[in-house]
Amino acid sequence: MTARIIGTGAYVPERIVTNKDLMAFLDTDDAWIRERTGICERRISTEEGTSVLAIRAAERAIADAGIDPKEIEIVIVATSSADRSFPSAASDVQGAIGAENAVAFDITAACSGFIYGLHILQGFIQSGIYRTGLVIGAETLSKVLDWSDRSSCILFGDGAGAAVIRADEEGVIRTLVGTDGKKADVLWCQARSLRNCLTGGKPELGFMVMDGKEVFKFAVKKVPEIVNQILEETGTAREDVQHYVLHQANTRILESAARRIGIPMEKIPVNIDRYGNTSAASIPILLDEMSRDGRLKRGDKVILSGFGAGLTWGAALLTW
Ligand code: COA
């Protein structure tokens, strides 16, 4: 048995923030952002937290799959921007959707989070521990961005995407994940003060810190490397894969990946123009769009690949 995606859902906040909106308070330029990143606009949450976005996406995925929430045995939320340190966003989701038979927990693997979640659930399904689960990528990174830092804040947006996953004969063929903790300082965000109040610390929340060039260099090398590795290890010809659903961080990274994998850009779907980089949510939001507009057909071979803070990376080959 393997893990098969049987339903998808996505939810993004209503508020659209365009590049021109950013120019009102930031020394930036619409043309620069479009050319250097491919982003035109992003969704930014005003009142909704990460858990609310995750719940809405989960409800839509469950409706799409046509299952009873009580059938769900495990809820995994991949997020780097949970509203609270504890309980987990997954606990909020489990309670809100009535998945009363499910164990629920969060994972933090930044933009690789959805693939890490799929990898974990695949392990549980292969070992026969669970049959039905929910993997959600949900982020409100707008709350950890330094909106005066033009080199990072222009890149990200808020949103959530979810997938209902069930044991089946066909589905995930192979997952591949990795971490390089020595590069943790390339992209990071302080969650708490390192000192406690008793010994003279004061509570502080940090902003995201990013070495954009280092992340770029890492991504253009790592994404083709792991995609080629998964093709090789499974004996799959690149032409036999219909869709390469890659983490939406920058269209220049996607174009470079297309060249290095040796596939046309038509095989790499793009929605970063409308949502920016939604981190762990980017891949499931894209899968949901493609499933609903008919681009994804049952039996299609699909590769997913993500990368992010950690540094982390992941790829999956699956039959839709
Ligand atoms: N608007 C206008 N100009 C900007 C700008 C902005 N938002 N941000 C940077 N610039 C300027 C810089 O100050 C620099 O000016 P200078 O030449 O006068 O010093 C110039 O543009 C070039 O900056 P540079 O940093 O070399 O741009 P870049 O081509 O490397 O693009 C990123 C910057 C961040 C878009 C790019 O490095 C990137 O996408 N990195 C990956 C980040 C990422 O994906 N993170 C998430 C991982 S999951």
Side-chain angles (χ1 to χ4, degrees):
M1 281 289 165
T2 189
R4 179 170 219 148
I5 296 178
I6 60 161
T8 61
Y11 180 81
V12 291
E14 248 180 52
R15 185 172 170 205
I16 296 173
V17 175
T18 65
N19 295 341
K20 289 202 175 94
D21 293 333
L22 298 181
M23 287 165 66
F25 63 89
L26 199 62
D27 178 18
T28 189
D29 179 54
D30 177 42
W32 190 96
I33 301 174
R34 282 172 195 257
E35 275 160 30
R36 306 308 291 166
T37 71
I39 299 165
C40 302
E41 59 187 43
R42 70 284 293 141
R43 301 300 182 99
I44 298 294
S45 158
T46 41
E47 308 246 306
E48 295 163 314
T50 296
S51 289
V52 169
L53 304 191
I55 291 162
R56 299 280 170 269
E59 287 166 342
R60 290 176 181 182
I62 290 164
D64 188 44
I67 64 161
D68 183 331
K70 293 190 183 63
E71 295 172 51
I72 298 170
E73 296 157 290
I74 175 167
V75 176
I76 300 174
V77 175
T79 184
S80 303
S81 50
D83 305 326
R84 302 184 284 197
S85 295
F86 52 87
S88 64
S91 283
D92 292 337
V93 173
Q94 190 257 19
I97 64 174
E100 58 197 51
N101 299 312
V103 63
F105 56 88
D106 290 358
I107 55 168
T108 300
C111 308
S112 312
F114 181 77
I115 292 175
Y116 270 52
L118 189 61
H119 175 72
I120 292 167
L121 194 44
Q122 161 78 338
F124 279 126
I125 287 176
Q126 280 180 328
S127 59
I129 295 174
Y130 300 123
R131 270 184 50 78
T132 307
L134 185 58
V135 178
I136 305 166
E139 305 280 9
T140 50
L141 282 180
S142 60
K143 291 166 188 167
V144 303
L145 291 173
D146 176 353
W147 286 99
S148 66
D149 175 12
R150 67 178 184 172
S151 66
S152 62
C153 75
I154 52 126
L155 293 172
F156 298 93
D158 299 334
V164 175
I165 290 165
R166 177 160 272 178
D168 202 339
E169 299 292 336
E170 272 195 321
V172 172
I173 296 161
R174 174 116 168 81
T175 56
L176 195 155
V177 291
T179 306
D180 180 2
K182 291 205 175 78
K183 302 258 172 65
D185 288 344
V186 168
L187 178 52
W188 60 280
C189 181
Q190 190 76 37
R192 290 280 174 272
S193 167
L194 297 179
R195 294 179 179 194
N196 61 56
C197 299
L198 184 68
T199 56
K202 60 174 181 355
E204 63 185 47
L205 291 173
F207 288 132
M208 179 193 291
V209 180
M210 182 180 74
D211 182 338
K213 277 198 193 319
E214 273 307 307
V215 177
F216 195 93
K217 275 196 281 184
F218 158 70
V220 294
K221 189 163 169 281
K222 190 51 96 177
V223 172
E225 186 182 302
I226 53 179
V227 168
N228 284 328
Q229 187 182 340
I230 215 165
L231 288 169
E232 214 167 282
E233 286 179 6
T234 55
T236 308
R238 52 184 54 71
E239 308 78 54
D240 293 343
V241 175
Q242 279 76 32
H243 310 282
Y244 291 77
V245 181
L246 309 183
H247 170 49
Q248 305 284 298
N250 187 318
T251 42
R252 287 189 293 141
I253 295 175
L254 300 177
E255 284 159 4
S256 162
R259 279 194 304 276
R260 292 189 188 205
I261 301 166
I263 50 168
M265 259 316 271
E266 294 75 63
K267 288 211 170 189
I268 301 184
V270 179
N271 68 0
I272 191 174
D273 51 326
R274 285 173 287 132
Y275 300 123
N277 177 346
T278 55
S279 188
S282 93
I283 290 173
I285 289 175
L286 196 46
L287 286 176
D288 183 58
E289 271 188 18
M290 295 171 70
S291 167
R292 282 173 201 271
D293 68 20
R295 266 179 290 170
L296 276 172
K297 296 183 184 55
R298 210 166 163 79
D300 279 356
K301 292 277 182 291
V302 184
I303 279 190
L304 316 178
S305 181
F307 64 91
L311 292 170
T312 57
W313 57 88
L317 170 66
L318 49 96
T319 305
W320 192 254

Coordinates of all heavy atoms in Angstrom, one line a residue, residues 22 26-30 32-33 36-37 110-112 149-156 187 208 210-219 247-250 252-253 277 279 307-309 311, ligand 1:
L22 N 3.1 48.0 -2.3 CA 4.4 48.0 -1.6 C 5.2 49.3 -1.8 O 5.8 49.8 -0.9 CB 5.2 46.8 -1.9 CG 4.6 45.4 -1.6 CD1 5.6 44.3 -2.0 CD2 4.2 45.2 -0.2
L26 N 7.7 51.4 0.6 CA 9.0 50.7 0.5 C 9.8 51.2 -0.7 O 9.1 51.4 -1.8 CB 8.7 49.2 0.4 CG 9.8 48.2 0.6 CD1 10.2 48.2 2.1 CD2 9.3 46.8 0.3
D27 N 11.1 51.3 -0.6 CA 11.9 51.8 -1.8 C 12.0 50.6 -2.7 O 13.1 49.9 -2.7 CB 13.2 52.3 -1.3 CG 14.1 52.7 -2.5 OD1 13.6 53.0 -3.6 OD2 15.3 52.8 -2.3
T28 N 11.0 50.3 -3.5 CA 11.0 49.2 -4.4 C 10.3 49.6 -5.7 O 9.8 50.7 -5.8 CB 10.4 47.9 -3.8 OG1 10.7 46.8 -4.6 CG2 8.9 48.0 -3.5
D29 N 10.2 48.6 -6.6 CA 9.7 49.0 -7.9 C 9.0 47.8 -8.5 O 9.5 46.6 -8.4 CB 11.0 49.3 -8.7 CG 10.6 49.7 -10.1 OD1 9.8 50.5 -10.3 OD2 11.2 49.0 -11.0
D30 N 7.8 48.0 -9.0 CA 7.0 46.9 -9.6 C 7.7 46.1 -10.7 O 7.8 44.9 -10.6 CB 5.7 47.5 -10.2 CG 4.8 46.5 -10.9 OD1 4.6 45.4 -10.3 OD2 4.3 46.8 -12.0
W32 N 11.0 45.8 -11.1 CA 12.1 45.1 -10.4 C 11.6 43.8 -9.9 O 12.1 42.7 -10.1 CB 12.8 45.9 -9.3 CG 14.1 45.3 -8.8 CD1 15.3 45.6 -9.2 CD2 14.2 44.2 -7.9 NE1 16.2 44.8 -8.6 CE2 15.6 43.9 -7.7 CE3 13.3 43.5 -7.1 CZ2 16.1 43.0 -6.8 CZ3 13.8 42.5 -6.2 CH2 15.2 42.3 -6.1
I33 N 10.5 43.9 -9.1 CA 9.9 42.7 -8.5 C 9.5 41.6 -9.5 O 9.8 40.4 -9.4 CB 8.8 43.0 -7.5 CG1 9.3 44.0 -6.4 CG2 8.2 41.7 -6.9 CD1 8.2 44.5 -5.4
R36 N 12.7 40.2 -11.3 CA 13.7 39.4 -10.5 C 13.0 38.2 -9.8 O 13.7 37.3 -9.4 CB 14.3 40.3 -9.4 CG 15.0 41.6 -9.9 CD 16.0 41.3 -11.0 NE 17.2 40.6 -10.5 CZ 18.0 40.0 -11.4 NH1 17.9 40.1 -12.7 NH2 19.1 39.4 -10.9
T37 N 11.6 38.3 -9.7 CA 11.0 37.2 -8.9 C 9.8 36.6 -9.6 O 9.4 35.5 -9.3 CB 10.4 37.7 -7.6 OG1 9.3 38.6 -7.8 CG2 11.5 38.5 -6.8
A110 N 10.0 24.5 7.0 CA 9.9 25.7 6.2 C 9.2 25.3 4.9 O 8.1 24.6 4.9 CB 11.2 26.3 6.0
C111 N 9.7 25.7 3.7 CA 9.0 25.6 2.5 C 9.0 24.1 2.0 O 8.3 23.8 1.0 CB 9.7 26.5 1.4 SG 9.7 28.2 2.0
S112 N 9.8 23.2 2.6 CA 9.8 21.8 2.2 C 8.7 21.1 3.1 O 8.6 19.9 2.9 CB 11.2 21.2 2.5 OG 12.2 21.9 2.0
D149 N 12.4 45.7 5.1 CA 13.5 45.0 4.4 C 13.0 44.6 3.0 O 12.4 43.5 2.8 CB 14.0 43.8 5.2 CG 15.0 43.0 4.5 OD1 15.6 43.5 3.5 OD2 15.3 41.9 4.9
R150 N 13.4 45.4 2.0 CA 12.9 45.1 0.6 C 13.4 43.9 0.0 O 12.9 43.4 -1.0 CB 13.1 46.3 -0.3 CG 14.6 46.6 -0.5 CD 14.8 47.7 -1.5 NE 16.2 47.9 -1.8 CZ 16.7 48.7 -2.7 NH1 15.9 49.5 -3.4 NH2 18.0 48.8 -3.0
S151 N 14.5 43.4 0.5 CA 15.1 42.2 -0.1 C 14.4 40.9 0.4 O 14.7 39.8 -0.2 CB 16.6 42.1 0.3 OG 16.8 41.9 1.6
S152 N 13.6 41.0 1.4 CA 12.9 39.7 1.8 C 11.3 39.9 1.7 O 10.6 39.0 1.2 CB 13.3 39.3 3.1 OG 13.0 40.3 4.1
C153 N 10.8 41.1 2.2 CA 9.4 41.1 2.4 C 8.5 41.1 1.1 O 7.4 40.6 1.1 CB 9.0 42.4 3.2 SG 9.1 43.9 2.3
I154 N 9.2 41.4 0.0 CA 8.4 41.4 -1.3 C 8.1 40.0 -1.8 O 7.3 39.8 -2.7 CB 9.2 42.2 -2.4 CG1 10.7 41.6 -2.4 CG2 9.3 43.7 -2.1 CD1 11.0 41.1 -3.8
L155 N 8.8 39.0 -1.2 CA 8.8 37.7 -1.7 C 7.6 36.8 -1.3 O 7.2 35.9 -2.0 CB 10.0 36.9 -1.4 CG 11.4 37.4 -2.0 CD1 12.5 36.6 -1.3 CD2 11.4 37.2 -3.5
F156 N 7.1 37.1 -0.1 CA 6.2 36.1 0.6 C 4.7 36.5 0.6 O 4.4 37.7 0.6 CB 6.7 35.9 2.0 CG 8.1 35.3 2.0 CD1 9.2 36.1 2.1 CD2 8.3 33.9 1.9 CE1 10.5 35.6 2.1 CE2 9.6 33.4 1.9 CZ 10.7 34.2 2.0
L187 N 18.7 31.3 6.4 CA 17.3 31.7 6.4 C 16.7 31.3 7.8 O 16.6 30.1 8.0 CB 16.6 31.1 5.2 CG 15.1 31.4 5.0 CD1 14.8 32.8 5.0 CD2 14.6 30.7 3.8
M208 N 12.1 37.6 10.1 CA 12.9 36.7 9.2 C 14.1 37.4 8.8 O 14.2 38.6 8.4 CB 12.0 36.4 8.0 CG 12.7 35.5 7.0 SD 11.8 35.5 5.4 CE 10.3 34.6 5.8
M210 N 17.3 36.7 5.9 CA 17.5 35.8 4.8 C 18.7 36.3 4.0 O 18.9 37.5 3.7 CB 16.3 35.8 3.9 CG 16.5 34.9 2.7 SD 15.0 34.9 1.6 CE 15.2 36.5 0.8
D211 N 19.6 35.4 3.6 CA 20.7 35.7 2.7 C 20.2 35.2 1.3 O 20.3 34.0 1.0 CB 22.0 34.9 3.1 CG 23.1 35.2 2.2 OD1 22.9 35.6 1.0 OD2 24.3 35.0 2.6
G212 N 19.5 36.1 0.6 CA 18.8 35.8 -0.6 C 19.7 35.1 -1.7 O 19.3 34.1 -2.3
K213 N 20.9 35.6 -1.8 CA 21.8 35.1 -2.8 C 22.2 33.6 -2.5 O 22.2 32.8 -3.4 CB 23.1 35.9 -2.9 CG 22.9 37.1 -3.8 CD 24.2 37.6 -4.2 CE 24.2 39.0 -4.8 NZ 23.1 39.3 -5.7
E214 N 22.5 33.3 -1.2 CA 22.8 32.0 -0.8 C 21.6 31.0 -1.1 O 21.8 29.9 -1.5 CB 23.2 31.9 0.7 CG 24.7 32.2 0.9 CD 25.6 31.4 0.1 OE1 25.5 30.1 0.2 OE2 26.5 31.9 -0.5
V215 N 20.4 31.5 -0.7 CA 19.3 30.6 -0.9 C 19.1 30.3 -2.4 O 18.8 29.2 -2.8 CB 18.0 31.3 -0.3 CG1 16.8 30.4 -0.6 CG2 18.1 31.5 1.2
F216 N 19.2 31.4 -3.2 CA 19.1 31.2 -4.6 C 20.1 30.2 -5.2 O 19.7 29.3 -5.9 CB 19.3 32.6 -5.3 CG 18.9 32.7 -6.7 CD1 17.6 33.1 -7.0 CD2 19.7 32.3 -7.8 CE1 17.2 33.2 -8.4 CE2 19.3 32.3 -9.1 CZ 18.0 32.8 -9.4
K217 N 21.3 30.3 -4.8 CA 22.4 29.4 -5.3 C 22.1 28.0 -4.9 O 22.2 27.0 -5.7 CB 23.8 29.8 -4.7 CG 24.5 30.9 -5.5 CD 26.0 30.9 -5.1 CE 26.1 31.6 -3.8 NZ 27.5 31.9 -3.3
F218 N 21.6 27.8 -3.6 CA 21.3 26.5 -3.1 C 20.1 25.9 -3.9 O 20.2 24.7 -4.4 CB 20.9 26.6 -1.6 CG 20.0 25.5 -1.1 CD1 20.5 24.2 -0.9 CD2 18.7 25.7 -0.8 CE1 19.7 23.2 -0.4 CE2 17.9 24.7 -0.2 CZ 18.4 23.5 -0.1
A219 N 19.1 26.7 -4.2 CA 17.9 26.2 -4.8 C 18.1 25.8 -6.3 O 17.7 24.7 -6.7 CB 16.8 27.3 -4.8
H247 N 8.2 24.1 -5.7 CA 7.9 25.2 -4.8 C 8.1 26.5 -5.5 O 9.0 26.8 -6.2 CB 8.9 25.1 -3.6 CG 8.9 26.2 -2.7 ND1 7.7 26.8 -2.2 CD2 9.9 27.0 -2.2 CE1 8.0 27.8 -1.4 NE2 9.3 28.0 -1.4
Q248 N 7.1 27.4 -5.3 CA 7.0 28.7 -5.9 C 7.8 29.7 -5.1 O 7.2 30.4 -4.2 CB 5.6 29.1 -6.1 CG 4.7 28.1 -6.8 CD 4.9 28.0 -8.3 OE1 4.7 29.0 -9.0 NE2 5.4 26.9 -8.8
A249 N 9.1 29.9 -5.4 CA 9.9 30.9 -4.7 C 10.3 32.0 -5.5 O 10.4 33.1 -5.1 CB 11.1 30.2 -4.0
N250 N 10.5 31.7 -6.8 CA 11.1 32.7 -7.8 C 11.0 32.1 -9.2 O 11.4 31.0 -9.4 CB 12.5 33.0 -7.4 CG 13.1 34.2 -8.2 OD1 12.8 34.3 -9.4 ND2 13.8 35.1 -7.5
R252 N 12.7 32.8 -11.7 CA 14.0 32.5 -12.2 C 14.6 31.2 -11.7 O 15.3 30.5 -12.4 CB 15.0 33.6 -11.8 CG 14.7 34.9 -12.6 CD 15.8 35.9 -12.4 NE 15.8 36.4 -11.0 CZ 16.9 36.7 -10.3 NH1 18.1 36.5 -10.8 NH2 16.8 37.1 -9.0
I253 N 14.2 30.8 -10.5 CA 14.6 29.4 -10.0 C 13.9 28.4 -10.8 O 14.4 27.3 -11.2 CB 14.3 29.3 -8.5 CG1 15.2 30.3 -7.7 CG2 14.5 27.9 -8.0 CD1 14.9 30.4 -6.2
N277 N 5.6 33.7 -2.5 CA 6.0 32.5 -1.9 C 5.2 32.2 -0.7 O 5.4 33.0 0.3 CB 7.5 32.6 -1.6 CG 8.1 31.4 -0.9 OD1 7.4 30.6 -0.4 ND2 9.5 31.3 -0.9
S279 N 5.5 29.5 1.1 CA 6.2 28.6 1.9 C 5.6 27.2 1.9 O 5.4 26.7 0.8 CB 6.4 29.1 3.4 OG 7.3 28.3 4.1
F307 N 12.1 23.3 -1.3 CA 13.4 23.6 -0.6 C 13.1 24.8 0.3 O 12.2 25.6 0.1 CB 14.5 24.0 -1.6 CG 14.2 25.3 -2.4 CD1 14.6 26.5 -1.9 CD2 13.4 25.2 -3.5 CE1 14.3 27.7 -2.5 CE2 13.1 26.4 -4.2 CZ 13.5 27.6 -3.7
G308 N 13.9 24.9 1.3 CA 13.7 26.1 2.2 C 14.6 26.1 3.4 O 15.7 25.4 3.4
A309 N 14.2 26.9 4.4 CA 15.1 27.1 5.6 C 15.4 25.7 6.2 O 14.6 24.8 6.2 CB 14.4 28.0 6.6
L311 N 19.0 24.2 6.2 CA 18.3 24.1 4.9 C 17.6 22.8 4.7 O 18.2 21.8 5.2 CB 19.2 24.4 3.7 CG 19.8 25.8 3.6 CD1 20.9 26.0 2.6 CD2 18.7 26.8 3.3
Ligands
COA1 N1 13.2 46.4 -5.1 C1 14.2 47.1 -5.8 N2 15.5 46.9 -5.7 C2 15.9 45.9 -4.9 C3 15.0 45.1 -4.1 C4 13.6 45.4 -4.2 N3 12.6 44.8 -3.6 N4 15.6 44.2 -3.4 C5 16.9 44.3 -3.7 N5 17.1 45.4 -4.6 C6 18.3 45.9 -5.2 C7 19.5 45.6 -4.3 O1 19.7 46.6 -3.3 C8 20.6 45.7 -5.3 O2 20.9 47.0 -5.5 P1 22.5 47.5 -5.7 O3 22.9 46.7 -7.0 O4 22.3 48.9 -5.9 O5 23.2 47.0 -4.5 C9 20.0 45.1 -6.6 O6 18.6 45.2 -6.4 C10 20.3 43.7 -6.8 O7 20.1 42.9 -5.6 P2 20.4 41.4 -5.5 O8 20.2 41.0 -4.0 O9 21.7 41.1 -6.2 O10 19.2 40.8 -6.3 P3 18.9 39.4 -6.8 O11 18.9 39.3 -8.2 O12 19.8 38.4 -6.1 O13 17.5 39.1 -6.2 C11 16.3 38.0 -4.5 C12 17.2 39.1 -4.8 C13 16.0 38.0 -3.0 C14 15.0 38.2 -5.3 C15 16.9 36.6 -5.0 O14 18.2 36.5 -4.5 C16 16.1 35.4 -4.5 O15 15.0 35.2 -5.0 N6 16.7 34.6 -3.6 C17 16.0 33.4 -3.2 C18 15.2 33.8 -2.0 C19 14.1 32.7 -1.6 O16 13.6 32.1 -2.5 N7 13.8 32.6 -0.3 C20 12.8 31.7 0.1 C21 13.3 30.3 0.1 S1 12.1 29.2 0.4

